[in-house]
Amino acid sequence: MTFSGADEDAWTDNEVVVNFLAHDEESGIEYCEWAVGYQPQGVELQAFQRIKIFESIAFKEFDYRVLENKTIYSTIRCHNRAGLFSSKSSDGVKISVRHPSIRNAKIAVIPLSITEYQAWSHYQSKIQNVRIQWSGFDDYTGINQFKITITDDKSTIEEKMSFPVGQDIQSVNIINMNMPEGLKNITVQAINKLLLASDQVIYNFTAVHSKPTKKAGRNFVHSWLAEKEEFTVTWDDIFISQYPLFYEVTVGTVEGGSDILQWQETKQTSLKFGLPSTVKRALKVSLHVYVRAISAGGTYEDIKFVILHQ
């Protein structure tokens, strides 16, 4: 005995249909019966009912409430003229009209930078590709594919892709892009086996092309507090950027040196530092101060100045 016709894994209708082929070369088929249940050989929805001998199809409409979000199995039992019978159940069809759930869905973009500095969350300076991760979409019938859309005020990019069953986290690296500077919106939708799409889950990020610029006419300010033997350097309004900035400060006694302060990070526009004892003993010393302004996308600009201390 075999089942015939298209084998559906999921269905939206309240009609259960089964196609089958049965034969017995020795004694012939006397009659067949059909049952419907929630498990193989199950009869919870319909006990075995006889099917006309010349028919190889059975169908029946049920109250949708007994089918929704359930897996339904059909069982065919055929009797031959020798008094023997055999039965076989379908592999089940999931019945649903619900769209995939986004209740636990999350999206993230891996920030990519063109420099050695890590881009912040929701920013990136690499404009040729974008790496997207998502998880948490759920559907009773199973998710068939995902639809990813990236939009800005000039263009829309759309991709559809499938993943192996059971993969908890999905990711994609969309390449060959040339993203203009500015805000991008990413949406991810799950599409189930019934081709029903979920609501959109939205994530935004900003593509950063520009690096911070130096404002003309603005200079460093520094001061020395003798009682604490401490310098304060300030660079208010020297760097201009439409994006958030942080700073990296290095101080050395020679140009390019870092024997006093090395790669000190701060989000402030001022910094305090003292002098090591070896420098304090010197009658006169030049302090080479380097400040690097780094944007949220990882792009940067440098300035430097020298403090003469004696």
Side-chain angles (χ1 to χ4, degrees):
M1 185 192 313
T2 60
F3 291 98
S4 63
D7 183 18
E8 301 288 349
D9 293 323
W11 196 249
T12 58
D13 291 350
N14 67 330
E15 183 180 53
V16 177
V17 181
V18 61
N19 292 275
F20 66 96
L21 294 174
H23 61 89
D24 188 316
E25 295 180 355
E26 295 183 359
S27 60
I29 300 295
E30 184 175 356
Y31 67 91
C32 292
E33 301 171 290
W34 174 44
V36 183
Y38 297 130
Q39 57 191 323
Q41 305 292 327
V43 295
E44 297 89 350
L45 295 177
Q46 175 186 286
F48 281 102
Q49 294 182 2
R50 185 174 293 199
I51 305 170
K52 294 179 180 179
I53 189 61
F54 55 85
E55 293 182 346
S56 59
I57 183 172
F59 53 89
K60 181 178 179 179
E61 290 188 357
F62 291 86
D63 186 328
Y64 201 83
R65 290 173 296 180
V66 303
L67 301 179
E68 186 177 13
N69 276 12
K70 299 288 195 304
T71 303
I72 307 302
Y73 296 85
S74 289
T75 300
I76 298 295
R77 185 168 66 191
C78 291
H79 302 253
N80 66 13
R81 291 187 175 88
L84 302 176
F85 69 88
S86 66
S87 64
K88 186 173 184 179
S89 294
S90 67
D91 60 0
V93 59
K94 294 180 177 179
I95 310 293
S96 179
V97 291
R98 297 184 184 182
H99 294 250
S101 170
I102 63 169
R103 180 178 301 173
N104 299 312
K106 297 178 181 179
I107 306 177
V109 169
I110 309 301
L112 301 176
S113 174
I114 59 172
T115 72
E116 66 271 30
Y117 296 99
Q118 175 66 46
W120 296 13
S121 177
H122 295 274
Y123 292 90
Q124 74 173 57
S125 54
K126 193 168 187 178
I127 62 172
Q128 291 79 19
N129 63 302
V130 59
R131 294 178 183 171
I132 310 167
Q133 287 185 343
W134 63 92
S135 62
F137 290 87
D138 184 58
D139 187 79
Y140 177 70
T141 67
I143 293 173
N144 189 46
Q145 61 181 347
F146 292 92
K147 178 182 176 182
I148 300 95
T149 306
I150 304 174
T151 59
D152 56 32
D153 57 358
K154 296 181 179 179
S155 64
T156 297
I157 298 172
E158 185 178 298
E159 300 277 353
K160 286 184 178 179
M161 54 198 65
S162 300
F163 295 87
V165 176
Q167 186 172 325
D168 293 332
I169 298 176
Q170 291 77 35
S171 63
V172 62
N173 183 22
I174 300 177
I175 61 174
N176 298 324
M177 304 178 70
N178 186 21
M179 293 183 286
E181 188 158 26
L183 184 67
K184 318 295 172 192
N185 289 307
I186 294 177
T187 64
V188 177
Q189 289 176 278
I191 302 172
N192 66 16
K193 292 183 177 181
L194 300 167
L195 303 183
L196 299 174
S198 71
D199 290 335
Q200 294 179 337
V201 179
I202 302 172
Y203 186 97
N204 62 70
F205 73 99
T206 298
V208 178
H209 290 202
S210 58
K211 63 181 183 178
T213 57
K214 292 179 283 191
K215 189 174 182 180
R218 302 294 297 180
N219 296 309
F220 272 105
V221 175
H222 70 274
S223 61
W224 168 253
L225 188 60
E227 56 267 31
K228 289 188 176 182
E229 297 186 326
E230 182 180 74
F231 276 101
T232 299
V233 293
T234 303
W235 54 93
D236 284 336
D237 296 328
I238 291 181
F239 294 103
I240 302 172
S241 178
Q242 59 183 311
Y243 309 114
L245 297 174
F246 75 100
Y247 306 93
E248 190 178 83
V249 184
T250 298
V251 183
T253 54
V254 296
E255 186 170 356
S258 57
D259 52 326
I260 294 177
L261 193 68
Q262 186 176 36
W263 304 328
Q264 180 70 51
E265 290 188 5
T266 179
K267 290 184 178 180
Q268 307 302 316
T269 55
S270 65
L271 188 71
K272 299 179 186 293
F273 64 90
L275 299 177
S277 57
T278 53
V279 176
K280 290 178 183 178
R281 290 194 294 267
L283 296 177
K284 185 177 180 180
V285 65
S286 296
L287 303 178
H288 298 261
V289 181
Y290 299 82
V291 177
R292 173 168 287 179
I294 306 157
S295 76
T299 57
Y300 62 84
E301 182 61 275
D302 299 330
I303 54 173
K304 63 179 181 179
F305 71 102
V306 178
I307 300 173
L308 296 177
H309 178 65
Q310 56 185 7

